[in-house]
Amino acid sequence: MTVPARIPPLVVKFGGASLAEPTKVAADLRALRRREGSVVVVASARERVTDLLEAALAHPRAVALHREILAELRRRHPGLPIAGRQRLERLAGLLRRLETSPTVDPPLADRILSQGERLAVHWLSARLQAEGLPAVPVEADHLGLITDNAYGASRILLERSRIAVRRGLGRILARGDLPVVTGFFGRSLEGRVATLGRGGSDYAAAGIGALIGSTRVELVKRHVAVLSADPRDVPGARPIRDLSFEEAEELAQFGARVLHPLTIGPARTHRMTVTVRSLGGRSERTTIGPGRPRRKNRALTVLRPLRLLRLRVPGGRQRPGVVAEVAQGLSAAGVNVVQLFTSSALLCLVLEPASVPAARGALAPMVRHGGVEVEGPFRVALVTAIGDGVLDDLDRLPQDAVRGAQGFSATPRALSLAVPEARARAVVRALHRSLVPRRSP
Ligand code: ASP
Ligand code: MG
C-alpha cells in the first residue's frame, strides 16, 4: 500500500458554493498543505449545477432546454481545460440519448448527474494549477470508489473500494501532488455510475477519509458551521462548536440540511473527526467527534410539510401483531414512515404528503376487515430537539409549544413533536428560547 502515511492525509471537501472563489480555495489549500502535509480534495459540483442537471432529467424530451443547460454549464466553468470540455461533449451525447429513450433509466440519470462533479474537478484543478498547486483531477468511478446498485441513493462499499482507492490516491500523494476527487458518486457493483443522493459529496469525503486512514475530514461550506436551528426559522440561531457523532447523525437524519445523513457513519466507525467550516477568514467551525460528558448541546430541526394519519385500532395495540401488520402493509406499498407515535388505542403515522394515497391504499384492507378507523390526513410539521441528554429537559418544554401537538416521541437524544404545520415556526422559536443554551459551551 503506497499511502505515504507518516501523517495520514487530511480530506477536505469543498461544497459547490465555496468553489465560487477558487483563489480563496487555493489559499486555503496552501495553508492546509503547509500545516498538514498531504491533503486530498473532494469537490462538489459548482453551485446549482446539479439542480440544472436534475431539471434536464425532469424534462427528458425538452431539447431546447437541454441546449440552454449545456450553454449555462459552459458559462459556469470558464477556462475549462480540454478534458473538461470532453465531459461537456459527453453530457451533450447523454442528453441526446435521454431525448430518445422511452423511459429514464436510473443508471443513465446518475451518469448525467455525475457530470457536474466531473466538470468541477477539471475546472477546479486548472484553477488551482494556475495558482501554483499540483492539482490532479480524479473521477471517483475510475478511481474505484465502489457503491451498491441503489442508483440515486447508493451506499459506499468500503471493503470493496479500499485497495483501489488507497493505491490510486497513494500514487498521486507519493509524487507530492494534490488529488482533486469528484464527490457525490462512485461506481456500482454492476460497473455503472451511481450517485449517493443529493448532498452526497459530504458522504463521499467521509468514505474516502475512512478508506485512506485519515483522522480528520473537513467539510467547507460557504457561510457557517452547524447552527442551533435553520436561521430562516430562528433568526437568533447560533453556531454549535462541538457535536457528538450521535448528535450529528440525528441532526442529519432529522433534516438539518447541513450534512448528508450518511456522512457520520464512516466517521464514527473509523474514529475520524469531521469539521464543518466556512472558507477563509476567522470562521465559525463545528467539530463532530466522540461525545463528551457534561457538554450540553441543543439543536432544533423542522421537517415539513408532512401529513399525520391517526389510526384507531379496536382492541388497541395489545391486539397481537397490529403494529407489524400496519408496518408491513406500508412497507409493501413503498411508504416510508417518517415518525410513528403510539398509545394503547391510537397509532399515529407521520408521512410525506405524496405517500398518503399509497398509505391509505395499504390500510384499506384493515379498515374493511379489521375495524380499523383512519382519521386525517392532518397537515403537520415535525419539530425535533436534538442533543445528548435532551430528555432531561422535558420540564422545560414551553406550554404553548406543546399545546395542540398531535404526537410526541423521545429518546435520550432526540425529542420530536408533531405540531400543526401553521404553528411550526412559532414552536421552533419557543423551543429555541427555552432549550438552546445561551452560549455554545
Ligand atoms: N452536487 C451534488 C448536490 O448538489 C452533491 C453535493 O453537492 O454534495 O446534491
Ligand atoms: Mg452540490
Side-chain angles (χ1 to χ4, degrees), residues 13 16 44-45 50-51 117 184 197-202:
K13 174 247 166 183
S44 303
T50 310
D51 296 339
E117 272 66 18
F184 187 43
R198 291 306 305 267
S201 300
D202 291 345

Side-chain angles (χ1 to χ4, degrees), residues 42-352:
V42 173
S44 303
R46 295 206 57 186
E47 194 168 24
R48 291 215 43 247
V49 164
T50 310
D51 296 339
L52 288 169
L53 295 169
E54 283 204 327
L57 290 167
H59 302 93
R61 306 261 177 284
V63 178
L65 173 71
H66 294 180
R67 206 170 305 129
E68 271 170 48
I69 288 174
L70 284 166
E72 182 59 30
L73 292 181
R74 198 166 295 123
R75 273 196 296 281
R76 278 170 191 259
H77 298 88
L80 196 60
I82 209 156
R85 293 204 297 273
Q86 285 166 351
R87 298 304 179 279
L88 265 181
E89 272 158 38
R90 184 175 307 155
L91 174 60
L94 292 170
L95 291 176
R96 276 195 297 278
R97 199 192 298 172
L98 183 69
E99 286 153 16
T100 55
S101 30
T103 55
V104 183
D105 159 49
L108 174 62
D110 275 6
R111 196 155 163 221
I112 288 173
L113 289 172
S114 76
Q115 303 302 321
E117 272 66 18
R118 297 184 206 271
L119 290 169
V121 300
H122 290 288
W123 169 82
L124 178 63
S125 296
R127 301 302 296 257
L128 296 176
Q129 287 158 15
E131 299 270 346
L133 283 159
V136 178
V138 179
E139 297 177 37
D141 50 346
H142 303 161
L143 178 65
L145 187 73
I146 305 300
T147 71
D148 63 17
N149 298 334
Y151 298 98
S154 58
R155 284 176 174 256
I156 299 171
L157 301 176
L158 293 175
E159 287 317 315
R160 296 266 192 156
S161 311
R162 181 161 281 120
I163 291 175
V165 169
R166 287 178 69 95
R167 187 180 294 147
L169 294 179
R171 205 175 286 142
I172 298 171
L173 293 170
R175 295 197 301 260
D177 287 346
L178 175 64
V180 179
V181 189
T182 52
F184 187 43
F185 68 89
R187 188 175 80 219
S188 72
L189 289 167
E190 312 171 312
R192 308 191 65 178
V193 178
T195 64
L196 308 170
R198 291 306 305 267
S201 300
D202 291 345
Y203 173 36
I208 288 170
L211 288 168
I212 62 178
S214 300
T215 56
R216 276 188 328 116
V217 174
E218 297 199 351
L219 307 176
V220 180
K221 316 250 168 189
R222 180 161 48 184
H223 288 310
V224 280
V226 178
L227 296 177
S228 57
D230 187 327
R232 290 173 305 183
D233 286 322
V234 183
R238 293 186 269 285
I240 301 179
R241 254 183 260 155
D242 307 274
L243 284 169
S244 66
F245 289 126
E246 293 76 11
E247 288 172 329
E249 216 157 27
E250 296 281 1
L251 262 174
Q253 299 286 358
F254 275 110
R257 292 163 315 128
V258 62
L259 279 181
H260 182 283
L262 296 181
T263 308
I264 302 302
R268 196 192 45 227
T269 47
H270 290 75
R271 303 321 266 178
M272 287 184 297
T273 56
V274 176
T275 302
V276 182
R277 64 171 171 95
S278 56
L279 186 61
R282 258 184 33 75
S283 53
E284 301 282 2
R285 46 175 66 216
T286 300
T287 304
I288 301 165
R292 280 199 266 113
R294 296 196 22 249
R295 183 188 51 204
K296 182 163 165 176
N297 282 320
R298 296 293 177 260
L300 299 167
T301 67
V302 184
L303 283 176
R304 74 189 144 200
L306 294 170
R307 298 289 182 267
L308 184 139
L309 288 180
R310 198 154 54 210
L311 275 56
R312 205 178 281 281
V313 183
R317 219 179 46 165
Q318 271 62 327
R319 207 180 87 196
V322 66
V323 176
E325 194 181 338
V326 169
Q328 272 158 17
L330 293 173
S331 106
V335 174
N336 172 38
V337 179
V338 178
Q339 186 69 285
L340 176 74
F341 307 112
T342 66
S343 59
S344 81
L346 292 182
L347 211 154
C348 300
L349 302 167
V350 179
L351 310 168
E352 306 278 352

